[in-house]
Amino acid sequence: MIKAVFYTENGRLSGFSLTGHAGCGTAGNDVACAAVSSAAELTCNTITDFFGDEAEVCVLENTLTLRLKNEGCGYSEKLLESFKAHLGFISEEYPRSIQIIVK
C-alpha cells in the first residue's frame, strides 16, 4: 500500500510524503503505482520548475517528499489539493492501494 501524507500549515496544504508500493501488480507492471509516481513527479516539477516556488524535495528509495518553503504563488497549494484529489480517484479505482492522511 502507498502511504500518502499531506502536510498542512495554517490550514493550507504545504507538502506531501509518499512511501510504499500499491501492490496492484508485479514490479514494473503496477498501473496504480505508475499513476501515483507520474502524478507526484508532475506535481514536484510544476511547483519548482514552472511556478518557481521554493520547495525542499527529497527522493530516496521508495520515498518522495515535497515541503514548500514559503506560501508561494498560491497555485502550488491548488496543485497540492488537485494531487490529493487525484490520489483519491486512483484509490477508488484500485481499493486498498493508497492510504491518504492529512496532518
Side-chain angles (χ1 to χ4, degrees):
M1 176 175 285
I2 294 172
K3 183 177 178 181
V5 178
F6 285 86
Y7 304 105
T8 61
E9 287 185 27
N10 301 322
R12 299 168 48 125
L13 283 182
S14 61
F16 67 88
S17 179
L18 299 175
T19 57
H21 291 285
C24 294
T26 59
N29 293 305
D30 189 329
V31 174
C33 209
V36 170
S37 296
S38 178
E41 288 180 34
L42 177 67
T43 300
C44 289
N45 291 337
T46 300
I47 287 171
T48 58
D49 296 345
F50 293 92
F51 295 162
D53 283 346
E54 290 186 42
E56 180 180 327
V57 178
C58 182
V59 180
L60 302 171
E61 181 67 31
N62 201 29
T63 303
L64 172 62
T65 303
L66 176 136
R67 297 294 295 253
L68 295 174
K69 291 187 176 182
N70 53 39
E71 289 190 20
C73 67
Y75 293 120
S76 292
E77 181 190 2
K78 295 233 182 260
L79 182 58
L80 289 170
E81 290 282 354
S82 177
F83 177 51
K84 183 168 128 318
H86 185 68
L87 294 186
F89 298 140
I90 295 170
S91 180
E92 288 174 9
E93 185 72 23
Y94 297 95
R96 297 180 305 279
S97 63
I98 304 169
Q99 177 186 23
I100 301 170
I101 300 166
V102 178
K103 288 187 177 184

